[in-house]
Structures are given as structure tokens and as C-alpha cells.
Amino acid sequence: MVWTVKKAAAPLSFSQKHLTGIGPLSRDDIRVVLDRAAHYARELEKVDFVSDALRGKVILSLFFENSTRTRVSFEMAAKRLGADVVNWDIGASSLKKGESFDDTIKTLNAMRPDAIVIRHSEYGTPDYVAKLVDCPVVNAGDSWREHPTQALLDALTVEQAHGGIEGLKVAICGDIAHSRVANSNMILLRRMGASVHAVAPPALMPAKFPAAGVQAFESLEEGIRDCDVVMMLRLQKERMQEGMIGSDIEYFKKFGLTHERLTLAKPGASVMHPGPMNRGVEIADDVADDPTRSLILKQVENGVPTRMAVLEILVKAQG
Ligand code: CP
């Protein structure tokens, strides 16, 4: 089924009821979201921007894991569209009184939210929740599986900086094995025609990539050579076994992005990082803060218009 968003101009067609990953999206689906996100990015630059696209709708936000960027930008996105947001609080919930996860989700669904945004540490939870509820479900990050809105906002950022994605060479560097951001980005970038280098020490390189055609490199210098975009990843120590990698200092010596190493990439190559950053571990301060190379704060800024596009497309498709 193709869900069609009713809009004054051309309708926005999207093949999915939910956004639980980039995996199920077609190139056309991704294009629809990116074009709408680019529209909202331009609109948000106007001081008098006001939208009532989702007025009267209620977005339920369920964060079972900590978040700054994703949680706040989903809330801002919903409010920018005129929707109300309910932030469920795990610490104050009846889960703490022994209610089961399924009963909690069915209880919340009975209150008829117009969309659910969920982050959870368990693999596949958004797809599981989607089967229990009536409204669209948006994955705000599940375990190391997928973080689709991060990949979409990264794609918007790359398109703004480089004019498109097709034909670009993008290096994704660091803790790939534990990164949902890397997975979603590998799928999206390959689907949109970019070359992707996965750069990691052997202990942090997955046995298998989620997209065909990704090239593996165990040397940062080799992996970023001639790349247009260098995307650094956070070392996710909370998902690692002790002793998997050496000290932070040793890691930085081999895999930290410095200006010296960045000279190996294409002249003017962009630097990205989904955050939160471990400064001095995966990226040097002066690279992260270099306004001529770093797109890191632009990525954060683009979280709002990208999530506006996703919420609008999914909620309006429900009528
Ligand atoms: N990039 C990202 O998911 O950041 P948060 O954990 O702060 O949401």
C-alpha cells in the first residue's frame, strides 16, 4: 500500500506506515523525506515561521534510553508543526510497579496517540511495538540496529554541503560494530548511490555489513583517502566488553581524526559526527570545532526539519 499525504501542492507518497529503519525504504521514500526536510529547513530560517500542519495531533515520546539531540529535536519538530507532545517518563511509569512492557504499550495505545516515537536498547523493539499499536511508530534508535532519522538528517546535511549524495565517497569511521547510526547510514548512502568505506579496528568491525558494496578498511589513513565526507562515530563503551580496545590515548593515536589526517581526504572534505562526541578520543577538538570543515552542529540543526518531515508524512497519511 502507498500512503498518500494530502497537501495543497503535490501529495507526498511514502510506502511505509511506520519508520522503523532505513532498510524498508525505497529511494523514492528517502527522496520524499529529504525534499520535505529541505523545505522545512528553509522555512525554519524565516523568523515568522508558523505551521499548523499537525494541529490537534498528539505525539507520544517513549525514551527508554538517554538522549539529548533526538528527544529534544523530535519534541521541537512536533511543536513546530503545531502538535502537542506527551513525554512518557520511564522512572515515573507503572513499569516500575511491575507492569509488563506489552501492557504498558497497549495502555498507552488505548489513549489514541497520533504517533509514537520510541528509543529502546533492545534490538527490534520499534517493529515489535508497531504490531501492538494503531498509530505510526518512529524509531528513535534501537540497540545497535538502526537510527533512521539520524541517517536522514545526515543525508540532508550532506546534500546541503555537497549538492547531492550520488557519486560521493563517504568514510564511516570508528565503532561500527556497535553503531545503529553506521547501519542506517550505510543502507541509506548505498541506496542513494554513494561509495561507503567502513573504517574500524578489527575488534570494532562487524562480521557483515547491512548493505552490499561497503568496503572495509582497518587503517584510518587508507579509509579516508580521497573521501568527500568523513563521518566519525562515538566509541560506545556501554555496549563493549571490557578490554575490547586499548586505552583512549592509544585509540586516538590510531583512529582519532586530526587535521593532519584530514589532509588525506579530498580538499574541503566535510567532517561529521552524530554525537555525543568523545573529544580527544575519536576526534580532535580543533577538527570538531573547525567551522570550515565540521558539519556537526548543522547535523543537530537539521534534526528538527528532518523530524518535522517524518512526523508530517506519517501522521498525515493516517488522515
Ligand atoms: N545522535 C544521537 O542519537 O544523539 P542522542 O543520543 O543525544 O539523541
Side-chain angles (χ1 to χ4, degrees):
M1 170 182 278
V2 172
W3 303 88
T4 301
V5 176
K6 295 162 210 79
K7 184 174 157 278
L12 303 170
S13 288
F14 196 69
S15 70
Q16 306 293 312
K17 177 178 177 183
H18 309 282
L19 179 62
T20 60
I22 298 296
L25 304 188
S26 65
R27 269 178 78 107
D28 287 349
D29 290 329
I30 294 168
R31 192 69 266 147
V32 164
V33 175
L34 293 181
D35 287 349
R36 197 65 181 152
H39 161 78
Y40 277 126
R42 289 188 297 271
E43 288 294 298
L44 287 169
E45 283 177 9
K46 300 177 183 164
V47 284
D48 57 352
F49 171 78
V50 180
S51 168
D52 62 359
L54 294 187
R55 174 115 10 241
K57 305 293 185 186
V58 180
I59 311 301
L60 177 57
S61 176
L62 306 180
F63 276 71
F64 291 79
E65 267 190 2
N66 294 347
S67 167
T68 295
R69 280 147 280 267
T70 312
R71 181 177 175 144
V72 173
S73 64
F74 263 115
E75 183 163 355
M76 289 196 71
K79 289 183 173 172
R80 291 284 191 200
L81 293 169
D84 289 313
V85 178
V86 173
N87 280 301
W88 172 83
D89 175 0
I90 185 171
S93 77
S94 290
L95 276 174
K96 297 285 173 195
K97 293 191 275 187
E99 185 166 61
S100 72
F101 179 81
D102 284 28
D103 280 341
T104 297
I105 296 299
K106 287 177 192 165
T107 297
L108 294 168
N109 181 58
M111 297 178 209
R112 301 169 64 97
D114 295 292
I116 290 175
V117 176
I118 184 164
R119 170 172 287 192
H120 202 284
S121 58
E122 290 208 14
Y123 194 98
T125 300
D127 287 295
Y128 183 77
V129 168
K131 293 191 179 85
L132 295 177
V133 302
D134 300 308
C135 64
V137 173
V138 185
N139 180 5
D142 66 316
S143 69
W144 56 87
R145 195 188 70 91
E146 277 236 35
H147 192 348
T149 56
Q150 179 71 46
L152 288 162
L153 73 88
D154 289 344
L156 173 64
T157 308
V158 169
E159 288 200 331
Q160 288 168 340
H162 295 270
I165 294 174
E166 182 129 29
L168 291 183
K169 205 186 269 189
V170 180
I172 304 178
C173 313
D175 186 2
I176 297 187
H178 301 103
S179 177
R180 54 199 178 204
V181 174
N183 282 342
S184 291
N185 265 308
M186 285 191 263
I187 302 168
L188 187 150
L189 289 165
R190 290 294 299 138
R191 201 152 291 163
M192 300 310 276
S195 299
V196 177
H197 292 184
V199 185
L204 301 179
M205 187 72 86
K208 191 165 166 274
F209 297 122
V214 174
Q215 291 176 264
F217 292 83
E218 291 178 2
S219 147
L220 185 66
E221 285 81 0
E222 289 305 311
I224 68 174
R225 198 177 294 282
D226 297 326
C227 282
D228 301 276
V229 177
V230 180
M231 191 181 286
M232 303 307 293
L233 299 173
R234 182 173 72 87
L235 269 188
Q236 306 205 27
K237 291 185 181 165
E238 72 276 18
R239 298 192 204 282
M240 280 181 206
Q241 287 154 1
E242 193 128 344
M244 254 182 117
I245 54 160
S247 68
D248 287 353
I249 295 170
E250 284 171 68
Y251 184 83
F252 184 72
K253 271 192 200 149
K254 279 191 156 175
F255 282 92
L257 185 64
T258 59
H259 267 302
E260 193 185 348
R261 286 190 167 129
L262 193 53
T263 59
L264 296 166
K266 277 206 182 132
S270 307
V271 174
M272 300 177 75
H273 192 306
M277 284 184 279
N278 295 305
R279 288 170 176 266
V281 179
E282 64 254 359
I283 189 165
D285 275 331
D286 61 350
V287 176
D289 297 332
D290 181 347
T292 68
R293 310 301 286 274
S294 172
L295 298 177
I296 295 168
L297 288 177
K298 194 64 178 170
Q299 290 172 266
V300 177
E301 185 181 332
N302 280 334
V304 177
T306 303
R307 289 166 176 133
M308 288 170 77
V310 167
L311 290 174
E312 182 191 31
I313 289 166
L314 295 181
V315 172
K316 281 198 172 173
Q318 302 305 298

